[in-house]
Amino acid sequence: ACRFTYGRLVLFALPATSRWLFTSIDGLVAGLFVSNVAGRGGLAAVNLVFPLAMALGSVGFMLGTGGAALVAKTMGEGDAERANRLFSFITIAAAVAGAVLIAVGAAALEPVLLLVGAQGSLLEQGLLYGRILLVALPLFIVQNVFLSFFIAAEKPQVGFAVTVAAGVTNIVLDYLFIAVLGWGIAGAAVATAAGQ
């Protein structure tokens, strides 16, 4: 049996909380690339679309948090076979939800952008950025599910490593696609999707 100490709690929580810090840094660096190369309009488009993408992707946090608790409880009860079935079901449900939410996001994207006042070039850039992100939505949702399962499996450092790998991928591809190849807002979206 493992004895609870505050030191162990901090060591367990540190990778999970550091994920959010690294995610924020990643977003900041991506914003710098977009604003300096794609311009203020590109950055505005990203900032208008990203909340919708995060709202849709939050389904992964929901399924991951609840699913990880359910699987951990089932494992604690000694029913490994049922826990494996639950894990598989939750993973498949996340992928299916992502596929369904692509359609929801595609239908909502333009009305949401119009609602917040996007028009002209800003609307076009927002639609381009959003449509590319929507393609990767199932992967983003499944990534969020797995991050919760890494914590439940007592491997928060693996979740941190995944977050760092995703962030570094996004940053490197932002530089390549935006600064080197000049893809602008489309490059930012492809880099973000690749990181997911």
Side-chain angles (χ1 to χ4, degrees), residues 171-183:
I171 291 168
V172 169
L173 292 180
D174 270 335
Y175 173 74
L176 176 65
F177 295 157
I178 300 170
V180 175
L181 298 176
W183 290 2

Side-chain angles (χ1 to χ4, degrees), residues 37-119:
V37 180
R40 289 188 321 212
L43 183 61
V46 168
N47 287 329
L48 289 177
V49 171
F50 207 72
L52 176 62
M54 290 303 293
L56 295 171
S58 68
V59 169
F61 292 115
M62 177 188 70
L63 289 171
T65 302
L70 183 59
V71 168
K73 174 187 170 286
T74 305
M75 288 290 291
E77 293 169 347
D79 195 349
E81 183 180 327
R82 182 167 185 261
N84 284 334
R85 284 196 316 268
L86 286 169
F87 173 77
S88 297
F89 173 76
I90 291 162
T91 303
I92 292 167
V96 169
V100 169
L101 287 173
I102 289 174
V104 172
L109 184 60
E110 188 168 358
V112 166
L113 287 172
L114 290 170
L115 182 68
V116 296
Q119 51 187 303

